[in-house]
């Protein structure tokens, strides 16, 4: 049982995913600090005065539970966008390049699909001869191995 678990852990894909997660966590911490200590003060200053941030007090003055803080939402949105850009360019692009050198297509465009006439499933591969959901025979599509007469 432990040997199987060891073999599972030593697969190249698992190691790649683990390294990617560690890198993502490190970038996440860095970007969180950037949004907390650089973006948040700028957004809070946009409201001006002695306001707690960019937003409105919906209830009793000074009650944080009823403060609609748009600044925190804007900060979270900026955090998400920066994080996804960093992950894409630092993890996905190098991984695609590495897989391409090995002859494997990673994160490629999905192949053509067709819709099942019986159950209306829209994600069947164009070359499918049966529906994966209702097992209905599918007519051949032109260009998916079918010959025109």
């Amino acid at each position: 049982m432990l040997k199987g678990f060891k073999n599972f852990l030593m697969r190249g894909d698992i190691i790649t995913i683990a390294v990617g997660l560690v890198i993502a966590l490190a970038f996440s911490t860095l970007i969180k600090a950037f949004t907390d200590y650089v973006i948040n003060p700028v957004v809070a200053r946009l409201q001006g005065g002695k306001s707690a941030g960019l937003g409105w007090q919906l209830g009793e003055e000074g009650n944080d539970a009823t403060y609609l803080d748009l600044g925190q939402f804007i900060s979270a949105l900026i955090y998400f966008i920066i994080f996804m850009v960093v992950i894409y360019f630092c993890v996905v692009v190098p991984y695609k390049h590495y897989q391409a050198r090995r002859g494997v297509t990673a994160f490629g465009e999905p192949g053509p699909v067709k819709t099942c006439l019986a159950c209306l499933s829209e994600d069947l591969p164009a070359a499918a001869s049966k529906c994966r959901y209702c097992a209905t025979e599918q007519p051949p599509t032109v260009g998916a191995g079918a010959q025109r007469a």
Side-chain angles (χ1 to χ4, degrees), residues 13-127:
D13 294 343
I14 299 296
I15 301 300
T16 303
I17 291 170
V19 169
L21 286 174
V22 169
I23 292 170
L25 288 172
F27 278 123
S28 174
T29 304
L30 181 66
I31 296 168
K32 178 81 170 120
F34 175 74
T35 56
D36 285 347
Y37 301 113
V38 176
I39 301 295
N40 283 353
V42 171
V43 171
R45 182 65 185 133
L46 290 176
Q47 180 135 2
K50 297 179 183 179
S51 174
L54 183 61
W56 298 274
Q57 185 68 47
L58 300 176
E60 184 179 326
E61 190 69 31
N63 185 356
D64 289 341
T66 60
Y67 186 73
L68 181 63
D69 195 354
L70 292 179
Q72 289 294 329
F73 177 74
I74 292 170
S75 175
L77 186 62
I78 292 170
Y79 170 85
F80 175 76
I81 291 169
I82 292 171
F83 184 75
M84 294 311 293
V85 166
V86 167
I87 293 301
Y88 180 76
F89 286 109
C90 293
V91 176
V92 174
V93 170
Y95 181 73
K96 284 173 61 173
H97 180 71
Y98 172 74
Q99 290 294 74
R101 287 192 312 185
R102 293 179 56 208
V104 178
T105 302
F107 305 113
E109 291 292 323
V113 294
K114 64 181 174 182
T115 302
C116 176
L117 300 175
C119 70
L120 301 178
S121 299
E122 296 179 345
D123 61 343
L124 299 177

